[in-house]
């Protein structure tokens, strides 16, 4: 039996950075709010096999080690020891492990495919909870458009799940300035743990997230672009300041990142373009703007030395079987 699923990565407007349980439950310390992006897609096929162990192929190349172990551990959430092993073939339409949320789309697609291939009928909430155990941000990629992650308080993690925000009608497009390809030096999981353990700014950061979640949702509901821009940019910079303040500090920005930040702010402040930036755990800048301004924003960002690729994206759909 073979099943294929597709999921889109998401970019958080209000960030997730810190776990209250870093065991297999993978529970966040606070909630988050994201936009699912159509251009950042993972396609994952699972084929049940009589092999003694799981096999993993990324872009047709066999993968072993830690990545395979993570996939096997995730598949074990859906099967017993007597169930068949799996051959997993996955591919991304964008750079992998480079700070563009490939783990979010990857584990969301894996979750949807595994649930189907092993004969389950999980609800969307259950799929979100299961996806979170593979990658915290994958919980949000189960849903399309805007998704709100509930941090929860229960020790079992059953109240830590994402849900869609279908009532929000606020069209955004993303223009992503890719600063460099290839895996980042410090992964998100490692970076979160180090920040939690050593940064003096971490607790104030967690407290800020709750306030920013309320501000961002209200701005989206009221189509208040400027309030949303201020909130999202401030939340992004606070997350990175938190990581930079850890010891030794974690710096995901590059010179290209700073140039892109300056370009986005110049477009908004001096040219009246409705655009704002956010940056995940990597050097790439994601500029969110109205659909009518995509070309102008893309042109400005493409002229920055060090930007190797421009990715344009509309809002994406929920994870699904093909």
């Amino acid at each position: 039996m073979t099943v294929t699923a597709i999921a889109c990565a998401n970019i958080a407007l209000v960030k997730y950075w810190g776990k209250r349980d870093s065991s297999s439950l993978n529970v966040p310390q606070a909630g988050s709010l994201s936009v699912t992006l159509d251009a950042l897609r993972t396609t994952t096929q699972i084929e049940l096999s009589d092999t003694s162990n799981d096999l993993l192929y990324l872009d047709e190349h066999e993968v072993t080690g830690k990545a395979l172990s993570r996939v096997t551990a995730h598949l074990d959430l859906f099967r017993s020891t007597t169930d068949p092993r799996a051959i997993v073939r996955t591919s991304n339409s964008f750079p992998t492990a480079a700070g563009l949320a490939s783990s979010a789309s990857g584990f969301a697609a894996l979750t949807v495919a595994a649930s189907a291939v092993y004969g389950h009928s999980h609800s969307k909430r259950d799929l979100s909870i299961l996806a979170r155990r593979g990658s915290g941000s994958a919980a949000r990629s189960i849903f399309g458009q805007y998704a709100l992650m509930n941090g929860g308080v229960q020790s079992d993690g059953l109240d830590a799940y994402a849900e869609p925000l279908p009532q929000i009608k606020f069209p955004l497009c993303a223009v992503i300035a890719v600063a460099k390809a290839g895996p980042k030096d410090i992964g998100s999981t490692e970076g979160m743990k180090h920040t939690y353990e050593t940064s003096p700014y971490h607790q104030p950061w967690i407290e800020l997230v709750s306030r920013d979640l309320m501000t961002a949702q209200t701005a989206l509901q009221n189509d208040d672009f400027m309030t949303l821009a201020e909130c999202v940019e401030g939340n992004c910079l606070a997350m990175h300041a938190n990581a930079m303040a850890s010891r030794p500090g974690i710096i995901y920005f590059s010179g290209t990142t700073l140039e892109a930040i300056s370009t986005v702010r110049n477009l908004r402040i001096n040219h009246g373009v409705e655009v704002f930036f956010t940056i995940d755990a990597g050097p790439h800048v994601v500029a969110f703007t109205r659909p009518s301004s995509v070309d102008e924003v893309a042109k400005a960002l493409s002229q920055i030395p060090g930007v190797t690729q421009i990715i344009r994206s509309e809002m994406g759909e929920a994870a699904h079987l093909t």
Side-chain angles (χ1 to χ4, degrees):
M1 181 178 182
T2 302
V3 167
T4 302
I6 292 176
C8 298
N10 68 81
I11 299 295
L13 302 179
V14 177
K15 300 296 189 188
Y16 153 56
W17 193 254
K19 305 173 190 284
R20 62 182 171 88
D21 184 333
S22 57
S23 69
S24 63
L25 292 179
N26 206 27
V27 182
Q29 282 185 281
S32 53
L33 174 64
S34 66
V35 181
T36 303
L37 296 181
D38 182 68
L40 307 183
R41 288 179 168 243
T42 296
T43 302
T44 297
Q45 179 192 84
I46 300 179
E47 177 186 354
L48 296 185
S49 169
D50 58 3
T51 56
S52 57
N53 297 296
D54 298 315
L55 298 175
L56 173 63
Y57 295 89
L58 173 61
D59 296 328
E60 300 183 359
H61 299 286
E62 185 173 3
V63 178
T64 58
K66 183 178 179 181
L68 175 59
S69 296
R70 284 184 71 185
V71 167
T72 291
H74 200 67
L75 292 172
D76 287 344
L77 300 176
F78 301 87
R79 64 190 180 188
S80 70
T81 56
T82 59
D83 284 327
R85 302 300 92 182
I87 300 174
V88 179
R89 297 181 175 88
T90 189
S91 61
N92 295 319
S93 67
F94 59 102
T96 301
L100 286 175
S102 59
S103 65
S105 54
F107 276 97
L110 184 67
T111 296
V112 170
S115 176
V117 82
Y118 285 109
H120 300 287
S121 298
H122 289 112
S123 68
K124 287 282 191 176
R125 177 182 293 191
D126 287 342
L127 288 172
S128 180
I129 291 170
L130 287 162
R132 184 205 73 224
R133 295 183 64 176
S135 168
S137 54
R140 302 187 305 249
S141 278
I142 295 297
F143 303 100
Q145 307 284 310
Y146 293 102
L148 174 67
M149 181 69 191
N150 301 290
V153 295
Q154 294 176 200
S155 60
D156 60 10
L158 293 180
D159 60 346
Y161 56 86
E163 56 187 325
L165 295 177
Q167 73 276 16
I168 294 177
K169 308 300 179 185
F170 191 114
L172 279 177
C173 289
V175 179
I176 304 169
V178 180
K180 67 175 183 179
K184 54 194 175 187
D185 294 333
I186 302 174
S188 297
T189 298
E190 180 186 355
M192 286 185 202
K193 183 176 185 294
H194 180 68
T195 303
Y196 172 78
E197 292 174 346
T198 69
S199 174
Y201 297 165
H202 189 68
Q203 189 54 42
W205 152 255
I206 293 299
E207 294 168 1
L208 174 69
V209 169
S210 297
R211 300 195 297 273
D212 283 346
L213 281 172
M214 295 179 62
T215 300
Q217 288 182 82
T218 300
L220 287 168
Q221 290 163 355
N222 295 335
D223 198 35
D224 185 347
F225 197 97
M226 294 308 294
T227 297
L228 182 65
E230 180 180 333
C231 177
V232 172
E233 289 187 356
N235 184 270
C236 164
L237 293 175
M239 185 201 89
H240 283 276
N242 183 23
M244 289 179 189
S246 60
R247 301 195 179 185
I250 301 171
I251 301 175
Y252 288 110
F253 290 0
S254 67
T256 304
T257 310
L258 297 176
E259 285 288 335
I261 288 173
S262 179
T263 297
V264 169
R265 285 188 159 175
N266 180 56
L267 284 171
R268 185 173 73 247
I269 296 169
N270 297 321
H271 298 276
V273 180
E274 288 188 310
V275 60
F276 60 84
F277 69 82
T278 191
I279 305 153
D280 278 354
H284 319 297
V285 172
V286 182
F288 282 103
T289 189
R290 303 284 194 182
S292 59
S293 299
V294 167
D295 288 345
E296 184 175 4
V297 173
K299 180 179 178 180
L301 290 174
S302 69
Q303 295 173 353
I304 298 171
V307 170
T308 60
Q309 182 183 5
I310 294 291
I311 301 174
R312 307 176 187 216
S313 183
E314 297 179 347
M315 298 171 73
E317 59 188 346
H320 60 279
L321 297 173
T322 62

